[in-house]
Amino acid sequence: MKVGFISLGCAKNQVNCEQMIWQTYEAGHEVALGAEDCDAVVVNTCGFLQEARDEAMGEIERLVELKKAGQLQSIIVSGCMAQWKREELEDLCPEVDAFVGVGGYEDIGQVLEQIEKGEKAALFGDIDAPVPEVDRVVCTSDYWAWLRIAEGCDNRCAYCVIPFIRGKFRSRPEEKILEEARNLAEAGMKELIVVAQDITRYGLDLYGRRTLADLLPKLCAIEGIEWVRLHYLYPDEITDELIDVIANEPKIVKYIDLPIQHISTNVLKSMHRRGTGEEIRALFHKLRARIPGLVLRTSLIAGFPGETDEDFEALCEFLLEEKIERAGVFPYSPEPGSAAADYPDQVDEDVKRRRVELITDIQMRIVDEFCESLVGKTLTVLCEGYDDETELFFGRSEYDSPGIDGIVHFEGEEGGVRPGDFYRVKITNTYDGELIGVIDNEEE
């Protein structure tokens, strides 16, 4: 049977999809990315926000039409939306043949066996069980890969249902993480992006203390790995020891993804976030002082229930003062099952939309200023390919995480530049939040 895979949502979801692809190979099936010419298709869904659920429903409905047209035999829906909305999906899409929850990825072979027999299947497992150690087929790139170090979350933010979908926080054993990292390096990966819902909590459940600062130097010691990038650190969990490791390890790129969601203490308290706006400001100042050249990425929510004009103005002022180089801005989405969905003081949709537009405008100006500040400087760039349209090579600097940040376009001699290699690129110009440069052959 030829099985196609469509992966939606976050990095953790992508890792789960890559694990299912491995298991599908092991079960003796042919694998493809996408739905074309496939007998069965697995759509691995995100259920975190309404926008993501709408995207997933669009994919499922497209597959249903293919099945009705006789171009597809079976549809499998997996991931967060399958876990969270299974009954609703069964009613809306009776054509779906199987559901696989977030605790069932490692047994996808069993599901495929059932649907080959014409049986309906449902596999969910225990969302609080230890993280299964399953091999994977990396599909993101030949040069970088996500490295998931934990699963689930214990933070219980008022706007979020992740703990109910993915379970409590569970760290993977350090030896398993290092084994996977070594395998990725042997496969040619140059950059590892360390992810979890909250990587700063890593180790607390297994070792009785937070051990990210112990893990990172061991990852950096692996031959072949050149960059280690950190995603999703919780502000009040960042210790002085961790800051020192980030500052002193050359392989750890000076880029931290630190979602703060807001700066108003009143809003943060209502969100069930730990810490105050002043503590966030103090942390940002400490990080910039102790990690030279640091670039910060964050996530912000506008229009959270009870957010006043004064709260919103404080957020805008904070952005203008702090000049965070990278930020994702989202309108508050009332997720059924979350605490905030039942808050009485919901913000009008038009007000939310306008606030997002205002913050986005501010952030675009900040990004433009940051890009302009890099003109004349030489950056290390991981080449990812060649663009026939622009006739330029392209890649990412240490300031750019894949899929969410900018790209560096650069000139290079044809045949002399190879994707997957690092180059020193002198930045000569900027365009629409991205950088343009030329390879700098001068000695450092």
Side-chain angles (χ1 to χ4, degrees), residues 1-2 26 146 154 163 187 228-229 251-252 269 273 283 339 403 408 438:
M1 181 165 59
K2 185 175 181 179
E26 288 292 288
W146 307 110
D154 288 341
V228 174
R229 189 180 300 273
K251 288 186 179 181
I252 299 179
K269 184 177 180 180
R273 301 281 292 185
L283 173 63
V408 181
V438 60

Side-chain angles (χ1 to χ4, degrees), residues 9-25:
C10 69
K12 283 85 69 183
N13 227 34
Q14 176 66 36
V15 171
N16 290 141
C17 193
E18 292 171 348
Q19 291 172 324
M20 285 194 291
I21 289 174
W22 174 270
Q23 294 294 91
T24 300
Y25 275 126

Side-chain angles (χ1 to χ4, degrees), residues 282-297:
L283 173 63
F284 275 37
H285 295 162
K286 179 194 283 190
L287 290 170
R288 291 198 187 280
R290 291 177 51 181
I291 307 175
L294 177 66
V295 164
L296 287 167
R297 162 166 277 282

Side-chain angles (χ1 to χ4, degrees), residues 341-356:
D342 295 325
Y343 285 1
D345 44 1
Q346 301 287 325
V347 175
D348 181 79
E349 290 296 324
D350 288 338
V351 173
K352 280 195 279 190
R353 187 161 42 250
R354 179 58 181 156
R355 287 178 178 177
V356 169

Side-chain angles (χ1 to χ4, degrees), residues 200 210 212-214 216 233 235-248 256 282-283 285-287 289-291:
T200 40
R210 295 168 178 81
L212 181 63
D214 298 333
L216 291 176
L233 293 87
D236 76 332
E237 306 281 359
I238 298 178
T239 63
D240 287 338
E241 180 187 16
L242 180 58
I243 294 173
D244 287 340
V245 169
I246 296 170
N248 296 325
I256 295 177
L283 173 63
H285 295 162
K286 179 194 283 190
L287 290 170
R290 291 177 51 181
I291 307 175

Side-chain angles (χ1 to χ4, degrees), residues 21-22 34 67 72 83 128 131 191 204 210 374-375 428:
I21 289 174
W22 174 270
K67 185 177 180 181
L72 182 65
Q83 183 76 37
D128 290 324
V131 183
E191 177 183 15
L204 189 59
R210 295 168 178 81
L374 297 174
V375 173
T428 58

